[in-house]
Amino acid sequence: MTLILNTLELGAVSEQIMTLINDKEAEVVDTSEMNISHCMGCNQCWLKTPGVCVIKDDYEAIVRKMVGANDLWLVSDTRFGFIDWRGKRVMDRLMPMVNMYIEMRDGWERHQLRYHALNVGLLYRGNGDQSLLEEWCERTAANIGGRSLGVIRIKEEESCM
């Protein structure tokens, strides 16, 4: 299954997303109106409540969906060449997907996976730095045992501006 986390405003570029992903089993989660807090870095998802974030907000349902997904696509605006705060906030909350124990993987020290590998891709809007975003996508995917699905710039829609 493919999970698509759309952080853009409600309904933005939905048609483009589905055309680019081209997966009939894809599920789009519109996070723009969801209550999602920033990661506090408390590590409780590793220590006190393994695999479960202690922040009780709308992100709980997203983590459950990630556990059942093979591919994860983030749809984000960009600011200063990188994903904006909405995209970063959603991706920073991935920590329950791994545990605190370290292992060597691909010549790097990485956290052991709690569930399974997750491939990561990025669809972005704006003037992001393509090479920076590609490197980020590769590193993020590697950290959760997957591979990069690629980084694709999406077109601005007049109704979204």
Side-chain angles (χ1 to χ4, degrees), residues 5-8 74-78 82-88 122-126 154:
L5 301 179
N6 185 2
T7 66
L8 302 177
L74 173 67
V75 183
S76 180
D77 232 329
T78 54
F82 193 60
I83 59 174
D84 73 352
W85 66 273
R86 289 175 190 90
K88 184 150 180 3
L122 173 66
L123 302 175
Y124 73 95
R125 186 172 68 179
I154 54 179

Side-chain angles (χ1 to χ4, degrees), residues 24-35:
K24 292 179 183 173
E25 291 185 38
E27 178 181 355
V28 178
V29 176
D30 178 9
T31 67
S32 66
E33 298 294 320
M34 295 176 88
N35 175 28

Side-chain angles (χ1 to χ4, degrees), residues 10-157:
L10 186 62
V13 299
S14 296
E15 199 170 298
Q16 265 191 87
I17 293 168
M18 295 313 289
T19 301
L20 289 168
I21 301 302
N22 194 23
D23 181 349
K24 292 179 183 173
E25 291 185 38
E27 178 181 355
V28 178
V29 176
D30 178 9
T31 67
S32 66
E33 298 294 320
M34 295 176 88
N35 175 28
I36 300 174
S37 298
H38 294 277
C39 178
M40 299 183 299
C42 68
N43 295 332
Q44 295 304 306
C45 61
W46 290 348
L47 303 170
K48 189 173 182 180
T49 57
V52 178
C53 182
V54 295
I55 301 171
K56 299 303 174 204
D57 60 9
D58 294 336
Y59 201 78
E60 272 185 270
I62 293 172
V63 170
R64 281 192 215 106
K65 290 176 188 291
M66 275 192 251
V67 170
N70 296 316
D71 296 335
L72 173 66
W73 284 90
L74 173 67
V75 183
S76 180
D77 232 329
T78 54
R79 295 289 184 266
F80 307 110
F82 193 60
I83 59 174
D84 73 352
W85 66 273
R86 289 175 190 90
K88 184 150 180 3
R89 176 187 62 191
V90 167
M91 295 304 285
D92 283 352
R93 295 282 299 277
L94 285 174
M95 295 315 294
M97 297 294 289
V98 296
N99 68 46
M100 64 185 276
Y101 302 106
I102 302 295
E103 65 184 6
M104 291 299 289
R105 205 167 54 239
D106 302 323
W108 290 80
E109 288 184 353
R110 302 204 187 273
H111 289 279
Q112 290 178 352
L113 302 179
R114 184 176 306 281
Y115 302 108
H116 59 80
L118 192 60
N119 302 317
V120 178
L122 173 66
L123 302 175
Y124 73 95
R125 186 172 68 179
N127 294 319
D129 181 325
Q130 183 77 23
S131 62
L132 175 67
L133 294 170
E134 287 172 356
E135 181 180 356
W136 170 82
C137 193
E138 288 171 9
R139 287 175 177 251
T140 300
N143 282 333
I144 50 178
R147 63 180 172 74
S148 173
L149 298 169
V151 175
I152 304 167
R153 183 172 186 222
I154 54 179
K155 298 175 187 169
E156 303 276 342
E157 291 184 357

